[in-house]
Amino acid sequence: IVYLSVSRMTTQRMSSLLMAFIVIGTLTAMITTSDPQWWEVHFSQLGTFDDLSSWVFNGTLIAGGLLVTTFAVYIANDLERLAEEGILKNPRAPRTVSTLFVIMGIMLAFVGIVPVDVNLLIHNLSATGMALMFLALLIGGPRFFRGMPRTYFLSAWAFLAATIASVVLFVVTYFSLTAFEIIVFALIFGWIAVFIRFLGVAGQKD
């Protein structure tokens, strides 16, 4: 069963697997945590307890990071196909974009490998690095993905605007740190799902 599933794996199926894995793992950690007030501290607080929920939370981040790095291979193949067909105008996009995804996956994995109570600096640098790769993909979109449908760029700017708005609302203390982290986390993986959808329809006439 596993062999048949993997042999028919596509970028969109990989994206769905990634989203489902992250959501289910994170919700499981939230429900089973031994500290019902974790949300009053920050999102990463879920990974600081020596119990099953923390193992689930950190394990989800580590495995999710590995999935994102694997995901980069599928994205590179799809972008190379679009470049060969003349749809994607930037021939360097496949390597650049896949590299950014690999770095994002490594950063995500390190967020789980090094919980906030083990080393705050490395944990925060990893989380910040993941966010920076996300911003680089959004801001560099017009250069990387020139030839993609116009509606993709509209959606990408919407994600960028939502990210900036979240930062502003956090700075003015409208959002708590936990809410801000969850929102940015959701925006990153939400954009990945939208990006893959547009990647699948790029070049189609219908």
Side-chain angles (χ1 to χ4, degrees), residues 1-14 74:
I1 293 173
V2 172
Y3 170 77
L4 292 175
S5 176
V6 173
S7 65
R8 298 180 181 180
M9 185 64 71
T10 63
T11 308
Q12 291 194 10
R13 289 182 180 180
M14 189 73 177
Y74 289 84

Side-chain angles (χ1 to χ4, degrees), residues 28-202:
T28 300
M30 290 179 179
I31 294 171
T32 60
T33 182
S34 58
D35 183 8
Q37 277 78 42
W38 66 268
W39 56 272
E40 296 179 357
V41 185
H42 45 64
F43 191 42
S44 298
Q45 183 72 7
L46 284 171
T48 61
F49 310 111
D50 189 17
D51 57 14
L52 177 61
S53 66
S54 291
W55 284 98
V56 169
F57 180 75
N58 293 326
T60 297
L61 297 180
I62 295 170
L66 295 176
L67 283 174
V68 172
T69 57
T70 305
F71 192 53
V73 177
Y74 289 84
I75 291 175
N77 291 335
D78 288 348
L79 291 176
E80 286 176 359
R81 175 182 55 81
L82 293 176
E84 291 172 357
E85 294 174 357
I87 298 170
L88 203 65
K89 307 303 180 183
N90 187 348
R92 297 181 179 180
R95 176 174 295 182
T96 303
V97 172
S98 61
T99 299
L100 292 174
F101 267 98
V102 168
I103 297 173
M104 182 188 293
I106 293 173
M107 294 294 100
L108 176 59
F110 265 93
V111 172
I113 293 172
V114 186
V116 66
D117 61 329
V118 173
N119 191 306
L120 179 62
L121 178 61
I122 295 178
H123 181 89
N124 287 342
L125 286 175
S126 300
T128 302
M130 183 178 67
L132 288 176
M133 295 304 102
F134 168 59
L135 291 175
L137 287 165
L138 286 182
I139 297 172
R143 180 178 180 181
F144 299 149
F145 309 122
R146 190 156 42 96
M148 291 275 283
R150 183 186 301 177
T151 46
Y152 163 73
F153 296 103
L154 294 176
S155 65
W157 292 128
F159 274 99
L160 180 60
T163 303
I164 294 173
S166 300
V167 172
V168 172
L169 291 174
F170 171 68
V171 170
V172 300
T173 67
Y174 184 82
F175 283 156
S176 66
L177 177 58
T178 304
F180 172 70
E181 290 178 325
I182 292 176
I183 289 172
V184 173
F185 196 70
L187 287 172
I188 291 175
F189 287 96
W191 170 79
I192 291 176
V194 171
F195 169 65
I196 295 307
R197 174 60 181 165
F198 278 103
L199 191 63
V201 301

